[in-house]
Amino acid sequence: MLILTALCAIGAEKVLANEIKMLGYKPCGNAPGRVNFTCDENGMFRANLCLRTADRVYLNTGTFHAENFDDLFDGVKAFPWQDYFKKDSRVVIDKVRTHRSKLSSEHSVQGMVHKAIYKKLGSVWHMEVLPETGFQSDVRVYIEKDEVTLLLDLSGDPLNKRGYRTSGGTAPLRETTAAVLLQLMCWRRKTPLHDAFCGSGTIPIETALYAYNVAPGFGRHFALENLPIFNQEKAVEIKKQEAAKIRPECEARITGTDIDPDAIERARLNAEHACVTAGRALQLIGSDARIQRPDFEQADFMELTAPYDKGLLLSNPPYGERLGDAAQANALYREMSELFDAFPGWDFGFITPHGNFENSIGKDASSVKDIKCGNLDTKFYMYKK
């Protein structure tokens, strides 16, 4: 069995752990912003293809104890790095994190780990200098209480980059964050969903992918595919298995509105790309079925009325740090209180960095969840009936 580490937004660890369980794998510990789990070799590709709320997936290549740089060098050099890299790979130590450990200089640790890996590769392949003309492979180092863990990046580009976004517009919400919000609201396919500030369409598109059970990674490639441990035949088989799980026959009522007509055009184009990718996945199993596109319309949120008796309004409304000042954001939130009257039987979810959101909108949330959204500390306000 292998041990993988999936990164996520801080605050989303339980959501990601539940998703990992649903995929058939077993979580085996977590820390802020990451979840470890065990899986078979197929899990390396399947996790990248299928996890909606993970930002990256790493292979845990091993753990050892090190209290000084000699221990660190010897421990790293002992690993069979020749199994993970090709002779022309460019190995980069992309990040080091140390906590409560004698080795506290992250820069020095970074240099020593890199030196040890290249020393091992050079000795195995009888090469004084590695060409570094091939694909870049990233390694991440965590040191906790003098225990060193080395992680090999299997994702490459962050997993929020699904491949369907042509343009995010101003301050787009990460696709993985949108997936987290959807899970926190416990959304079900039969429930209508509307985004009153849809921007480039991230929330409705991620909702559609979830509704029709489309794996989010069908439209992209992963760093794993450039490593010698990658099995092309197994990957194709996994893609076909996941394509067979797509449910184009489902009915989902997913909509979005925005006051900006350019945003609506971007949302429609992004949704088209996402659904075309889903259609190509279905072609892998000989199906010509199509996925229903979310419906986007230009509208001011003040003009909206509920199209159904019950549903979920889930939005990332504008806020001071990205589209104006804090005073403008507070004024907007006060106006948003009218949504509760316009959608009387609906649940609501709003993500914002403003701690006084409840006072501005004039209604206490049923629950509030802290979520790290990129470098921004945000709160997710949930209003449930």
Side-chain angles (χ1 to χ4, degrees):
M1 296 295 285
L2 303 176
I3 299 178
L4 303 189
T5 297
L7 304 190
C8 65
I10 295 176
E13 296 85 2
K14 287 185 178 179
V15 172
L16 175 56
N18 287 334
E19 190 181 6
I20 289 169
K21 291 177 185 176
M22 293 297 293
L23 204 56
Y25 304 129
K26 184 179 180 180
C28 57
N30 59 44
R34 61 185 191 268
V35 178
N36 300 325
F37 62 100
T38 57
C39 66
D40 57 12
E41 290 187 357
N42 291 343
M44 291 190 291
F45 187 79
R46 179 170 276 115
N48 276 287
L49 181 69
C50 297
L51 289 177
R52 303 178 190 279
T53 62
D55 291 325
R56 288 183 184 275
V57 175
Y58 290 85
L59 171 64
N60 186 329
T61 60
T63 300
F64 62 93
H65 189 82
E67 298 184 12
N68 55 58
F69 284 107
D70 287 337
D71 292 342
L72 179 65
F73 182 89
D74 292 341
V76 175
K77 189 172 180 290
F79 286 11
W81 295 109
Q82 67 276 9
D83 295 341
Y84 301 120
F85 302 126
K86 298 177 181 178
K87 289 186 177 181
D88 62 351
S89 294
R90 176 173 177 260
V91 181
V92 173
I93 313 304
D94 77 320
K95 189 168 291 188
V96 174
R97 289 290 181 264
T98 68
H99 182 59
R100 294 186 293 179
S101 300
K102 294 181 176 64
L103 292 170
S104 58
S105 172
E106 295 179 355
H107 180 74
S108 298
V109 168
Q110 183 181 36
M112 186 60 69
V113 171
H114 189 269
K115 180 180 179 181
I117 291 176
Y118 271 65
K119 188 70 173 179
K120 177 59 174 283
L121 294 177
S123 64
V124 171
W125 293 331
H126 307 291
M127 301 171 67
E128 291 293 330
V129 179
L130 301 182
E132 297 187 307
T133 55
F135 289 101
Q136 177 174 315
S137 295
D138 292 342
V139 174
R140 186 163 294 196
V141 184
Y142 288 106
I143 307 180
E144 176 72 29
K145 296 181 181 178
D146 299 322
E147 291 297 314
V148 181
T149 300
L150 301 174
L151 304 177
L152 175 61
D153 182 19
L154 302 179
S155 299
D157 287 336
L159 293 178
N160 66 285
K161 296 185 177 182
R162 314 290 205 209
Y164 62 72
R165 187 193 294 277
T166 54
S167 173
T170 305
L173 183 71
R174 285 186 180 181
E175 293 82 346
T176 47
T177 304
V180 169
L181 304 185
L182 199 66
Q183 294 301 315
L184 288 173
M185 292 300 301
C186 300
W187 182 78
R188 297 292 179 264
R189 293 172 178 86
K190 65 179 181 180
T191 304
L193 180 138
H194 183 73
D195 182 357
F197 304 90
C198 70
S200 58
T202 303
I203 290 176
I205 294 170
E206 287 298 312
T207 302
L209 294 179
Y210 177 72
Y212 299 112
N213 207 33
V214 180
F218 269 122
R220 54 162 291 167
H221 294 283
F222 310 105
L224 170 63
E225 297 174 62
N226 301 320
L227 301 176
I229 57 176
F230 176 62
N231 187 320
Q232 176 70 34
E233 292 183 1
K234 282 289 187 181
V236 172
E237 181 182 337
I238 291 169
K239 281 186 175 182
K240 290 181 178 180
Q241 290 170 354
E242 296 304 322
K245 298 176 184 178
I246 298 175
R247 301 171 60 186
E249 76 283 357
C250 288
E251 293 185 4
R253 292 162 289 179
I254 303 167
T255 55
T257 52
D258 199 285
I259 196 172
D260 182 1
D262 291 335
I264 293 300
E265 287 305 312
R266 287 193 297 270
R268 288 171 177 164
L269 188 57
N270 290 338
E272 182 65 20
H273 288 168
C275 292
V276 165
T277 297
R280 289 173 179 163
L282 285 166
Q283 290 174 2
L284 293 174
I285 57 171
S287 171
D288 59 358
R290 287 167 51 88
I291 299 299
Q292 182 179 344
R293 280 64 170 155
D295 186 20
F296 295 102
E297 297 293 339
Q298 180 189 359
D300 189 328
F301 75 92
M302 298 286 285
E303 304 170 354
L304 300 176
T305 56
Y308 307 101
D309 292 338
K310 294 182 179 181
L312 169 61
L313 194 151
L314 181 61
S315 290
N316 173 36
Y319 43 82
E321 284 83 351
R322 65 189 183 114
L323 294 177
D325 57 36
Q328 290 175 319
N330 286 329
L332 173 67
Y333 298 156
R334 286 194 293 270
E335 292 178 342
M336 283 170 53
S337 63
E338 296 190 15
L339 287 170
F340 293 107
D341 295 327
F343 292 75
W346 285 47
D347 292 334
F348 297 84
F350 301 108
I351 186 169
T352 171
H354 281 251
N356 63 343
F357 177 82
E358 290 168 295
N359 290 333
S360 297
I361 204 169
K363 192 175 181 65
D364 291 337
S366 306
S367 58
V368 181
K369 179 71 174 176
D370 292 322
I371 298 177
K372 190 79 171 180
C373 191
N375 293 322
L376 197 62
D377 293 318
T378 64
K379 293 181 180 294
F380 184 45
Y381 296 88
M382 292 170 273
Y383 297 84
K384 295 186 179 182
K385 301 297 182 184

